[in-house]
């Protein structure tokens, strides 16, 4: 005979989702599907004796994770927020207990239907995994355990880079000084867009000819920021820009710092007749040019803030000595 005091699933008038009925109180599972609701119930029953019993939605976890990163000053806030938008729209109402392989594959199918690439979908699901892992930490304690996230297969790297001629056309097509300065810095340092846009003049030493992309008070992440030398091309551009500066930021427009460069950059790329070129392509270009000149992967990695492993794996074929010793050994 079933125990009447045992929590069970029930329907609530006017609601599409299943609820858990427990001791005269109802708790929404966030699931309209009975099988998913059963899974939430099973986790609820397992965790009854643990401190955390509250059912929380994916949307709330994403929101709190984003706020936590913002409060700690971790860079990449805008990009992470963009990744959270489709996650919130598609699975935000569900509890983390409902996230399994089948649910992940449904999300992948939905985003492919939105014409999103597998690389973009992986980025979004990686953001979900990071948020859920954070929610299970002792500091957050929003959930007892993070579910496993299934992702589409990692696509083969297809790195678009600019030839010297294409880069010259792009620079000539920059009708705004701040866009041209951004392109010049990116091509001559290999720095990421966020590091360039947040760069301030107090970290540019034109005497010692060094640019320090590291920011005080900003937590370090895997996307390292480094101290790099200033070559002659970059020195001339920065010297001119410093004389015209009206704010503390190197990249400025109309007396204000700039958070995003996509619009102005896209217009310049279109005028230059360049397809498939984004600001991040400039980073690929800087790495590729260095390797083509015979610079060692170790030095390139130090210059752009990558690991030597990534430089070798993704860009190594551009080096003139790529696998040459291995080929000679077979001769």
């Amino acid at each position: 005979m079933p125990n009447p005091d045992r929590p069970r699933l029930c329907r609530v008038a006017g609601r599409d989702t299943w609820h858990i009925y427990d001791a005269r109180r109802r708790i929404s599972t966030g699931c309209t599907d009975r099988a998913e609701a059963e899974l939430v119930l099973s986790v609820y029953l397992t965790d009854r004796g643990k401190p955390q019993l509250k059912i929380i939605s994916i949307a709330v976890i994403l929101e709190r994770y984003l706020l936590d990163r913002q409060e700690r000053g971790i860079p990449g806030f805008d990009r992470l927020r963009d990744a959270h938008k489709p996650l919130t729209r598609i699975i935000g109402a569900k509890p983390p207990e409902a996230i399994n392989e089948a649910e992940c594959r449904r999300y992948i199918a939905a985003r492919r239907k939105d014409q999103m690439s597998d690389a973009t979908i992986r980025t979004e699901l990686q953001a979900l995994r990071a948020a859920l892992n954070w929610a299970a930490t002792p500091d957050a304690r929003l959930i007892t355990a993070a579910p496993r996230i299934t992702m589409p297969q990692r696509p083969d790297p297809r790195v678009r880079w600019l030839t010297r001629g294409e880069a010259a056309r792009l620079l000539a097509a920059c009708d705004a000084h701040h866009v041209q300065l951004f392109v010049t810095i990116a091509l001559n340092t290999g720095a990421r867009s966020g590091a360039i846009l947040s760069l301030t003049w107090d970290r540019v030493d034109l005497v010692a000819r060094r640019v320090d992309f590291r920011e005080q008070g900003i937590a370090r992440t895997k996307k390292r920021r480094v101290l790099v030398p200033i070559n002659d091309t970059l020195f001339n551009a920065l010297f001119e820009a410093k004389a015209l500066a009206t704010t503390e930021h190197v990249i400025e427009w109309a007396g204000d710092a700039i958070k995003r460069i996509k619009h102005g950059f896209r217009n310049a790329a279109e005028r230059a007749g360049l397809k498939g070129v984004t600001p991040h392509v400039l980073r690929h270009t800087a790495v590729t040019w260095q390797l083509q000149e015979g610079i060692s992967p170790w030095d390139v990695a130090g210059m752009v803030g990558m690991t030597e492993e990534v430089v070798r794996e993704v860009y190594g074929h551009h080096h003139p000595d790529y696998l040459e010793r291995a080929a000679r050994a077979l001769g």
Side-chain angles (χ1 to χ4, degrees), residues 68-109:
D68 176 77
R69 288 179 63 91
Q70 185 180 35
E71 290 177 345
R72 290 192 289 146
I74 299 177
F77 176 84
D78 291 336
R79 184 166 49 218
L80 187 61
R81 181 178 55 190
D82 290 342
H84 284 187
K85 289 178 181 178
L87 290 167
T88 300
R89 173 172 56 85
I90 297 173
I91 59 173
K94 297 180 181 295
E97 292 83 2
I99 302 303
N100 51 26
E101 182 176 353
E103 189 62 48
C104 289
R105 297 205 179 281
R106 279 194 287 270
Y107 180 85
I108 293 170

mmCIF file of all heavy atoms in Angstrom, residues 68-109:
data_model
loop_
_atom_site.group_PDB
_atom_site.id
_atom_site.type_symbol
_atom_site.label_atom_id
_atom_site.label_comp_id
_atom_site.label_asym_id
_atom_site.label_seq_id
_atom_site.Cartn_x
_atom_site.Cartn_y
_atom_site.Cartn_z
ATOM 1 N N ASP A 68 27.782 36.842 -9.970
ATOM 2 C CA ASP A 68 28.974 36.524 -9.185
ATOM 3 C C ASP A 68 30.249 36.890 -9.942
ATOM 4 O O ASP A 68 31.174 37.473 -9.377
ATOM 5 C CB ASP A 68 28.987 35.026 -8.844
ATOM 6 C CG ASP A 68 30.244 34.601 -8.116
ATOM 7 O OD1 ASP A 68 30.342 34.877 -6.898
ATOM 8 O OD2 ASP A 68 31.144 34.006 -8.750
ATOM 9 N N ARG A 69 30.295 36.560 -11.236
ATOM 10 C CA ARG A 69 31.479 36.886 -12.041
ATOM 11 C C ARG A 69 31.636 38.402 -12.195
ATOM 12 O O ARG A 69 32.746 38.917 -12.194
ATOM 13 C CB ARG A 69 31.382 36.225 -13.417
ATOM 14 C CG ARG A 69 31.572 34.724 -13.376
ATOM 15 C CD ARG A 69 31.432 34.119 -14.754
ATOM 16 N NE ARG A 69 32.450 34.601 -15.664
ATOM 17 C CZ ARG A 69 33.625 34.006 -15.858
ATOM 18 N NH1 ARG A 69 33.921 32.913 -15.193
ATOM 19 N NH2 ARG A 69 34.504 34.502 -16.717
ATOM 20 N N GLN A 70 30.515 39.090 -12.331
ATOM 21 C CA GLN A 70 30.573 40.543 -12.459
ATOM 22 C C GLN A 70 31.093 41.181 -11.174
ATOM 23 O O GLN A 70 31.933 42.090 -11.207
ATOM 24 C CB GLN A 70 29.188 41.093 -12.806
ATOM 25 C CG GLN A 70 29.176 42.593 -13.080
ATOM 26 C CD GLN A 70 27.777 43.091 -13.414
ATOM 27 O OE1 GLN A 70 26.794 42.601 -12.885
ATOM 28 N NE2 GLN A 70 27.696 44.060 -14.311
ATOM 29 N N GLU A 71 30.611 40.710 -10.035
ATOM 30 C CA GLU A 71 31.038 41.260 -8.750
ATOM 31 C C GLU A 71 32.512 40.995 -8.477
ATOM 32 O O GLU A 71 33.189 41.805 -7.835
ATOM 33 C CB GLU A 71 30.188 40.668 -7.625
ATOM 34 C CG GLU A 71 28.744 41.156 -7.634
ATOM 35 C CD GLU A 71 27.905 40.492 -6.557
ATOM 36 O OE1 GLU A 71 28.366 39.456 -6.009
ATOM 37 O OE2 GLU A 71 26.804 40.992 -6.268
ATOM 38 N N ARG A 72 33.027 39.869 -8.981
ATOM 39 C CA ARG A 72 34.441 39.540 -8.782
ATOM 40 C C ARG A 72 35.340 40.124 -9.850
ATOM 41 O O ARG A 72 36.553 39.929 -9.820
ATOM 42 C CB ARG A 72 34.620 38.024 -8.722
ATOM 43 C CG ARG A 72 34.053 37.404 -7.452
ATOM 44 C CD ARG A 72 34.489 35.965 -7.292
ATOM 45 N NE ARG A 72 33.845 35.091 -8.256
ATOM 46 C CZ ARG A 72 34.425 34.031 -8.797
ATOM 47 N NH1 ARG A 72 35.673 33.742 -8.501
ATOM 48 N NH2 ARG A 72 33.760 33.258 -9.633
ATOM 49 N N GLY A 73 34.753 40.845 -10.796
ATOM 50 C CA GLY A 73 35.539 41.519 -11.820
ATOM 51 C C GLY A 73 36.190 40.606 -12.826
ATOM 52 O O GLY A 73 37.229 40.941 -13.404
ATOM 53 N N ILE A 74 35.579 39.449 -13.078
ATOM 54 C CA ILE A 74 36.132 38.514 -14.051
ATOM 55 C C ILE A 74 35.746 38.986 -15.448
ATOM 56 O O ILE A 74 34.579 39.244 -15.712
ATOM 57 C CB ILE A 74 35.619 37.087 -13.793
ATOM 58 C CG1 ILE A 74 36.054 36.615 -12.402
ATOM 59 C CG2 ILE A 74 36.118 36.123 -14.857
ATOM 60 C CD1 ILE A 74 35.540 35.250 -12.021
ATOM 61 N N PRO A 75 36.717 39.105 -16.356
ATOM 62 C CA PRO A 75 36.411 39.622 -17.704
ATOM 63 C C PRO A 75 35.546 38.654 -18.501
ATOM 64 O O PRO A 75 35.366 37.499 -18.137
ATOM 65 C CB PRO A 75 37.799 39.782 -18.334
ATOM 66 C CG PRO A 75 38.687 38.862 -17.568
ATOM 67 C CD PRO A 75 38.151 38.829 -16.175
ATOM 68 N N GLY A 76 35.032 39.168 -19.622
ATOM 69 C CA GLY A 76 34.201 38.346 -20.499
ATOM 70 C C GLY A 76 32.730 38.372 -20.148
ATOM 71 O O GLY A 76 31.972 37.494 -20.569
ATOM 72 N N PHE A 77 32.279 39.393 -19.406
ATOM 73 C CA PHE A 77 30.895 39.458 -18.937
ATOM 74 C C PHE A 77 29.916 39.515 -20.101
ATOM 75 O O PHE A 77 28.929 38.770 -20.131
ATOM 76 C CB PHE A 77 30.719 40.678 -18.029
ATOM 77 C CG PHE A 77 29.306 40.890 -17.554
ATOM 78 C CD1 PHE A 77 28.819 40.214 -16.452
ATOM 79 C CD2 PHE A 77 28.454 41.766 -18.219
ATOM 80 C CE1 PHE A 77 27.516 40.398 -16.020
ATOM 81 C CE2 PHE A 77 27.157 41.967 -17.797
ATOM 82 C CZ PHE A 77 26.695 41.277 -16.687
ATOM 83 N N ASP A 78 30.161 40.390 -21.068
ATOM 84 C CA ASP A 78 29.222 40.559 -22.192
ATOM 85 C C ASP A 78 29.093 39.280 -23.012
ATOM 86 O O ASP A 78 27.994 38.890 -23.411
ATOM 87 C CB ASP A 78 29.675 41.709 -23.087
ATOM 88 C CG ASP A 78 29.533 43.066 -22.413
ATOM 89 O OD1 ASP A 78 28.703 43.169 -21.498
ATOM 90 O OD2 ASP A 78 30.257 44.003 -22.796
ATOM 91 N N ARG A 79 30.220 38.624 -23.271
ATOM 92 C CA ARG A 79 30.190 37.398 -24.068
ATOM 93 C C ARG A 79 29.447 36.284 -23.332
ATOM 94 O O ARG A 79 28.674 35.534 -23.930
ATOM 95 C CB ARG A 79 31.610 36.954 -24.401
ATOM 96 C CG ARG A 79 31.682 35.739 -25.299
ATOM 97 C CD ARG A 79 33.072 35.566 -25.858
ATOM 98 N NE ARG A 79 34.074 35.655 -24.803
ATOM 99 C CZ ARG A 79 35.257 36.246 -24.951
ATOM 100 N NH1 ARG A 79 35.562 36.807 -26.081
ATOM 101 N NH2 ARG A 79 36.126 36.262 -23.965
ATOM 102 N N LEU A 80 29.662 36.196 -22.015
ATOM 103 C CA LEU A 80 28.976 35.176 -21.229
ATOM 104 C C LEU A 80 27.479 35.456 -21.171
ATOM 105 O O LEU A 80 26.651 34.540 -21.268
ATOM 106 C CB LEU A 80 29.560 35.129 -19.819
ATOM 107 C CG LEU A 80 29.069 34.003 -18.913
ATOM 108 C CD1 LEU A 80 29.414 32.644 -19.502
ATOM 109 C CD2 LEU A 80 29.659 34.137 -17.518
ATOM 110 N N ARG A 81 27.113 36.710 -21.051
ATOM 111 C CA ARG A 81 25.699 37.078 -21.017
ATOM 112 C C ARG A 81 25.016 36.709 -22.333
ATOM 113 O O ARG A 81 23.879 36.224 -22.336
ATOM 114 C CB ARG A 81 25.555 38.576 -20.757
ATOM 115 C CG ARG A 81 24.112 39.073 -20.687
ATOM 116 C CD ARG A 81 24.071 40.550 -20.388
ATOM 117 N NE ARG A 81 24.852 41.296 -21.364
ATOM 118 C CZ ARG A 81 25.156 42.591 -21.246
ATOM 119 N NH1 ARG A 81 24.763 43.250 -20.172
ATOM 120 N NH2 ARG A 81 25.859 43.205 -22.185
ATOM 121 N N ASP A 82 25.721 36.904 -23.451
ATOM 122 C CA ASP A 82 25.166 36.524 -24.749
ATOM 123 C C ASP A 82 24.949 35.017 -24.832
ATOM 124 O O ASP A 82 23.964 34.551 -25.417
ATOM 125 C CB ASP A 82 26.098 36.982 -25.872
ATOM 126 C CG ASP A 82 26.115 38.496 -26.037
ATOM 127 O OD1 ASP A 82 25.191 39.153 -25.536
ATOM 128 O OD2 ASP A 82 27.065 39.011 -26.659
ATOM 129 N N ALA A 83 25.876 34.232 -24.270
ATOM 130 C CA ALA A 83 25.733 32.774 -24.286
ATOM 131 C C ALA A 83 24.573 32.323 -23.413
ATOM 132 O O ALA A 83 23.932 31.302 -23.682
ATOM 133 C CB ALA A 83 27.029 32.114 -23.813
ATOM 134 N N HIS A 84 24.269 33.092 -22.367
ATOM 135 C CA HIS A 84 23.182 32.734 -21.456
ATOM 136 C C HIS A 84 21.802 32.974 -22.057
ATOM 137 O O HIS A 84 20.823 32.337 -21.642
ATOM 138 C CB HIS A 84 23.305 33.523 -20.156
ATOM 139 C CG HIS A 84 24.377 33.019 -19.249
ATOM 140 N ND1 HIS A 84 24.557 33.505 -17.964
ATOM 141 C CD2 HIS A 84 25.318 32.052 -19.415
ATOM 142 C CE1 HIS A 84 25.573 32.875 -17.402
ATOM 143 N NE2 HIS A 84 26.049 31.996 -18.264
ATOM 144 N N LYS A 85 21.694 33.892 -23.010
ATOM 145 C CA LYS A 85 20.376 34.252 -23.539
ATOM 146 C C LYS A 85 19.642 33.061 -24.158
ATOM 147 O O LYS A 85 18.486 32.796 -23.800
ATOM 148 C CB LYS A 85 20.514 35.401 -24.540
ATOM 149 C CG LYS A 85 20.856 36.735 -23.888
ATOM 150 C CD LYS A 85 21.032 37.833 -24.931
ATOM 151 C CE LYS A 85 21.400 39.163 -24.266
ATOM 152 N NZ LYS A 85 21.630 40.229 -25.268
ATOM 153 N N PRO A 86 20.244 32.306 -25.095
ATOM 154 C CA PRO A 86 19.515 31.153 -25.644
ATOM 155 C C PRO A 86 19.309 30.044 -24.619
ATOM 156 O O PRO A 86 18.297 29.336 -24.668
ATOM 157 C CB PRO A 86 20.410 30.690 -26.802
ATOM 158 C CG PRO A 86 21.765 31.215 -26.476
ATOM 159 C CD PRO A 86 21.533 32.511 -25.772
ATOM 160 N N LEU A 87 20.249 29.888 -23.687
ATOM 161 C CA LEU A 87 20.079 28.888 -22.632
ATOM 162 C C LEU A 87 18.846 29.209 -21.787
ATOM 163 O O LEU A 87 18.037 28.324 -21.485
ATOM 164 C CB LEU A 87 21.324 28.848 -21.736
ATOM 165 C CG LEU A 87 22.597 28.274 -22.363
ATOM 166 C CD1 LEU A 87 23.798 28.600 -21.492
ATOM 167 C CD2 LEU A 87 22.480 26.768 -22.566
ATOM 168 N N THR A 88 18.702 30.473 -21.434
ATOM 169 C CA THR A 88 17.550 30.887 -20.627
ATOM 170 C C THR A 88 16.249 30.709 -21.407
ATOM 171 O O THR A 88 15.242 30.261 -20.858
ATOM 172 C CB THR A 88 17.718 32.356 -20.202
ATOM 173 O OG1 THR A 88 18.920 32.481 -19.435
ATOM 174 C CG2 THR A 88 16.533 32.811 -19.359
ATOM 175 N N ARG A 89 16.285 31.032 -22.687
ATOM 176 C CA ARG A 89 15.080 30.937 -23.507
ATOM 177 C C ARG A 89 14.618 29.496 -23.699
ATOM 178 O O ARG A 89 13.419 29.213 -23.646
ATOM 179 C CB ARG A 89 15.348 31.587 -24.877
ATOM 180 C CG ARG A 89 14.228 31.410 -25.895
ATOM 181 C CD ARG A 89 14.480 32.236 -27.131
ATOM 182 N NE ARG A 89 15.752 31.958 -27.764
ATOM 183 C CZ ARG A 89 15.945 30.968 -28.634
ATOM 184 N NH1 ARG A 89 14.940 30.161 -28.962
ATOM 185 N NH2 ARG A 89 17.129 30.784 -29.186
ATOM 186 N N ILE A 90 15.556 28.589 -23.896
ATOM 187 C CA ILE A 90 15.192 27.214 -24.257
ATOM 188 C C ILE A 90 15.028 26.310 -23.041
ATOM 189 O O ILE A 90 14.079 25.521 -22.967
ATOM 190 C CB ILE A 90 16.245 26.640 -25.226
ATOM 191 C CG1 ILE A 90 16.250 27.458 -26.531
ATOM 192 C CG2 ILE A 90 15.959 25.163 -25.539
ATOM 193 C CD1 ILE A 90 17.358 27.096 -27.491
ATOM 194 N N ILE A 91 15.944 26.392 -22.067
ATOM 195 C CA ILE A 91 15.880 25.472 -20.913
ATOM 196 C C ILE A 91 15.855 26.199 -19.583
ATOM 197 O O ILE A 91 15.975 25.571 -18.530
ATOM 198 C CB ILE A 91 17.067 24.487 -20.933
ATOM 199 C CG1 ILE A 91 18.394 25.262 -20.893
ATOM 200 C CG2 ILE A 91 17.011 23.572 -22.140
ATOM 201 C CD1 ILE A 91 19.612 24.351 -20.738
ATOM 202 N N GLY A 92 15.686 27.523 -19.612
ATOM 203 C CA GLY A 92 15.752 28.302 -18.373
ATOM 204 C C GLY A 92 14.738 27.909 -17.324
ATOM 205 O O GLY A 92 15.003 27.991 -16.125
ATOM 206 N N ALA A 93 13.538 27.455 -17.746
ATOM 207 C CA ALA A 93 12.486 27.124 -16.776
ATOM 208 C C ALA A 93 12.716 25.773 -16.105
ATOM 209 O O ALA A 93 12.087 25.468 -15.091
ATOM 210 C CB ALA A 93 11.129 27.124 -17.474
ATOM 211 N N LYS A 94 13.614 24.972 -16.647
ATOM 212 C CA LYS A 94 13.831 23.625 -16.114
ATOM 213 C C LYS A 94 14.763 23.660 -14.903
ATOM 214 O O LYS A 94 15.638 24.520 -14.818
ATOM 215 C CB LYS A 94 14.428 22.711 -17.184
ATOM 216 C CG LYS A 94 13.521 22.493 -18.384
ATOM 217 C CD LYS A 94 14.170 21.587 -19.396
ATOM 218 C CE LYS A 94 13.266 21.398 -20.611
ATOM 219 N NZ LYS A 94 12.025 20.684 -20.260
ATOM 220 N N PRO A 95 14.627 22.706 -13.998
ATOM 221 C CA PRO A 95 15.578 22.588 -12.884
ATOM 222 C C PRO A 95 16.819 21.846 -13.357
ATOM 223 O O PRO A 95 16.776 21.125 -14.365
ATOM 224 C CB PRO A 95 14.801 21.762 -11.859
ATOM 225 C CG PRO A 95 13.907 20.907 -12.690
ATOM 226 C CD PRO A 95 13.513 21.735 -13.877
ATOM 227 N N PRO A 96 17.941 21.993 -12.674
ATOM 228 C CA PRO A 96 19.166 21.313 -13.106
ATOM 229 C C PRO A 96 19.021 19.795 -13.123
ATOM 230 O O PRO A 96 19.697 19.111 -13.902
ATOM 231 C CB PRO A 96 20.215 21.774 -12.096
ATOM 232 C CG PRO A 96 19.457 22.332 -10.948
ATOM 233 C CD PRO A 96 18.184 22.856 -11.506
ATOM 234 N N GLU A 97 18.138 19.245 -12.283
ATOM 235 C CA GLU A 97 17.939 17.795 -12.243
ATOM 236 C C GLU A 97 17.381 17.253 -13.560
ATOM 237 O O GLU A 97 17.509 16.059 -13.848
ATOM 238 C CB GLU A 97 16.999 17.416 -11.104
ATOM 239 C CG GLU A 97 17.570 17.652 -9.718
ATOM 240 C CD GLU A 97 17.406 19.091 -9.252
ATOM 241 O OE1 GLU A 97 16.809 19.897 -9.999
ATOM 242 O OE2 GLU A 97 17.889 19.428 -8.157
ATOM 243 N N ALA A 98 16.777 18.128 -14.355
ATOM 244 C CA ALA A 98 16.187 17.683 -15.626
ATOM 245 C C ALA A 98 17.202 17.668 -16.766
ATOM 246 O O ALA A 98 16.898 17.215 -17.866
ATOM 247 C CB ALA A 98 15.020 18.595 -16.006
ATOM 248 N N ILE A 99 18.407 18.172 -16.494
ATOM 249 C CA ILE A 99 19.431 18.228 -17.533
ATOM 250 C C ILE A 99 20.144 16.876 -17.613
ATOM 251 O O ILE A 99 20.826 16.461 -16.681
ATOM 252 C CB ILE A 99 20.443 19.348 -17.251
ATOM 253 C CG1 ILE A 99 19.725 20.697 -17.159
ATOM 254 C CG2 ILE A 99 21.498 19.388 -18.346
ATOM 255 C CD1 ILE A 99 18.925 21.068 -18.378
ATOM 256 N N ASN A 100 19.961 16.198 -18.732
ATOM 257 C CA ASN A 100 20.624 14.929 -18.987
ATOM 258 C C ASN A 100 21.045 14.902 -20.458
ATOM 259 O O ASN A 100 20.931 15.907 -21.163
ATOM 260 C CB ASN A 100 19.704 13.750 -18.647
ATOM 261 C CG ASN A 100 18.337 13.878 -19.304
ATOM 262 O OD1 ASN A 100 18.202 14.533 -20.348
ATOM 263 N ND2 ASN A 100 17.325 13.282 -18.717
ATOM 264 N N GLU A 101 21.515 13.763 -20.928
ATOM 265 C CA GLU A 101 21.983 13.688 -22.312
ATOM 266 C C GLU A 101 20.866 13.996 -23.306
ATOM 267 O O GLU A 101 21.073 14.726 -24.283
ATOM 268 C CB GLU A 101 22.562 12.301 -22.597
ATOM 269 C CG GLU A 101 23.108 12.165 -24.016
ATOM 270 C CD GLU A 101 23.764 10.826 -24.271
ATOM 271 O OE1 GLU A 101 23.915 10.041 -23.319
ATOM 272 O OE2 GLU A 101 24.121 10.560 -25.439
ATOM 273 N N ALA A 102 19.686 13.460 -23.045
ATOM 274 C CA ALA A 102 18.569 13.690 -23.964
ATOM 275 C C ALA A 102 18.205 15.172 -24.024
ATOM 276 O O ALA A 102 17.932 15.719 -25.100
ATOM 277 C CB ALA A 102 17.361 12.862 -23.536
ATOM 278 N N GLU A 103 18.205 15.835 -22.868
ATOM 279 C CA GLU A 103 17.864 17.260 -22.822
ATOM 280 C C GLU A 103 18.926 18.086 -23.542
ATOM 281 O O GLU A 103 18.604 19.049 -24.264
ATOM 282 C CB GLU A 103 17.744 17.720 -21.373
ATOM 283 C CG GLU A 103 17.178 19.120 -21.213
ATOM 284 C CD GLU A 103 15.768 19.245 -21.755
ATOM 285 O OE1 GLU A 103 14.921 18.382 -21.442
ATOM 286 O OE2 GLU A 103 15.511 20.213 -22.503
ATOM 287 N N CYS A 104 20.193 17.718 -23.374
ATOM 288 C CA CYS A 104 21.274 18.419 -24.071
ATOM 289 C C CYS A 104 21.146 18.254 -25.580
ATOM 290 O O CYS A 104 21.347 19.201 -26.341
ATOM 291 C CB CYS A 104 22.628 17.898 -23.603
ATOM 292 S SG CYS A 104 23.064 18.369 -21.910
ATOM 293 N N ARG A 105 20.777 17.055 -26.011
ATOM 294 C CA ARG A 105 20.642 16.817 -27.453
ATOM 295 C C ARG A 105 19.444 17.576 -28.020
ATOM 296 O O ARG A 105 19.470 18.024 -29.170
ATOM 297 C CB ARG A 105 20.542 15.321 -27.736
ATOM 298 C CG ARG A 105 21.798 14.559 -27.338
ATOM 299 C CD ARG A 105 21.996 13.282 -28.109
ATOM 300 N NE ARG A 105 23.237 12.621 -27.697
ATOM 301 C CZ ARG A 105 24.445 12.967 -28.101
ATOM 302 N NH1 ARG A 105 24.587 13.988 -28.938
ATOM 303 N NH2 ARG A 105 25.520 12.319 -27.684
ATOM 304 N N ARG A 106 18.409 17.728 -27.221
ATOM 305 C CA ARG A 106 17.272 18.549 -27.666
ATOM 306 C C ARG A 106 17.700 20.006 -27.816
ATOM 307 O O ARG A 106 17.271 20.704 -28.746
ATOM 308 C CB ARG A 106 16.107 18.414 -26.678
ATOM 309 C CG ARG A 106 15.262 17.167 -26.880
ATOM 310 C CD ARG A 106 13.948 17.254 -26.122
ATOM 311 N NE ARG A 106 14.142 17.106 -24.693
ATOM 312 C CZ ARG A 106 14.106 15.939 -24.046
ATOM 313 N NH1 ARG A 106 13.881 14.829 -24.715
ATOM 314 N NH2 ARG A 106 14.284 15.892 -22.744
ATOM 315 N N TYR A 107 18.536 20.464 -26.890
ATOM 316 C CA TYR A 107 19.030 21.839 -26.977
ATOM 317 C C TYR A 107 19.891 22.011 -28.226
ATOM 318 O O TYR A 107 19.762 23.001 -28.962
ATOM 319 C CB TYR A 107 19.850 22.198 -25.730
ATOM 320 C CG TYR A 107 20.388 23.607 -25.759
ATOM 321 C CD1 TYR A 107 19.610 24.671 -25.322
ATOM 322 C CD2 TYR A 107 21.657 23.882 -26.247
ATOM 323 C CE1 TYR A 107 20.078 25.974 -25.369
ATOM 324 C CE2 TYR A 107 22.144 25.176 -26.303
ATOM 325 C CZ TYR A 107 21.350 26.212 -25.858
ATOM 326 O OH TYR A 107 21.822 27.502 -25.918
ATOM 327 N N ILE A 108 20.769 21.048 -28.483
ATOM 328 C CA ILE A 108 21.633 21.101 -29.663
ATOM 329 C C ILE A 108 20.787 21.160 -30.936
ATOM 330 O O ILE A 108 21.052 21.956 -31.844
ATOM 331 C CB ILE A 108 22.577 19.889 -29.695
ATOM 332 C CG1 ILE A 108 23.578 19.970 -28.535
ATOM 333 C CG2 ILE A 108 23.319 19.805 -31.028
ATOM 334 C CD1 ILE A 108 24.392 18.707 -28.330
ATOM 335 N N ALA A 109 19.756 20.327 -31.001
ATOM 336 C CA ALA A 109 18.880 20.306 -32.180
ATOM 337 C C ALA A 109 18.169 21.642 -32.354
ATOM 338 O O ALA A 109 18.023 22.147 -33.483
ATOM 339 C CB ALA A 109 17.868 19.171 -32.048
#
